[in-house]
Amino acid sequence: MSQSALAKEIGVTRQTVIAIEQGKYSPSLESAFRIARVFGVGLEDVFGWDGD
């Protein structure tokens, strides 16, 4: 899936998707759930947090 297609699906800009991929931006909880839904996986399969 292209960055543009994903951005359209979740309602953000392509630049936002790029920033999320590069770890420069953390998506809102709503966007995170939308991304997981697009790919048909759980939130923890798309995003992780290392607490350290």
Side-chain angles (χ1 to χ4, degrees), residues 10-28:
I10 66 171
V12 299
T13 65
R14 180 177 163 269
Q15 289 75 19
T16 299
V17 171
I18 291 168
I20 292 169
E21 287 180 347
Q22 294 176 344
K24 296 179 180 178
Y25 175 77
S26 295
S28 68

Side-chain angles (χ1 to χ4, degrees), residues 4-45:
S4 296
L6 178 58
K8 186 175 180 178
E9 283 286 325
I10 66 171
V12 299
T13 65
R14 180 177 163 269
Q15 289 75 19
T16 299
V17 171
I18 291 168
I20 292 169
E21 287 180 347
Q22 294 176 344
K24 296 179 180 178
Y25 175 77
S26 295
S28 68
L29 188 55
E30 180 180 349
S31 291
F33 275 108
R34 287 177 186 228
I35 291 167
R37 183 177 296 160
V38 165
F39 293 108
V41 297
L43 190 61
E44 63 280 355
D45 295 321

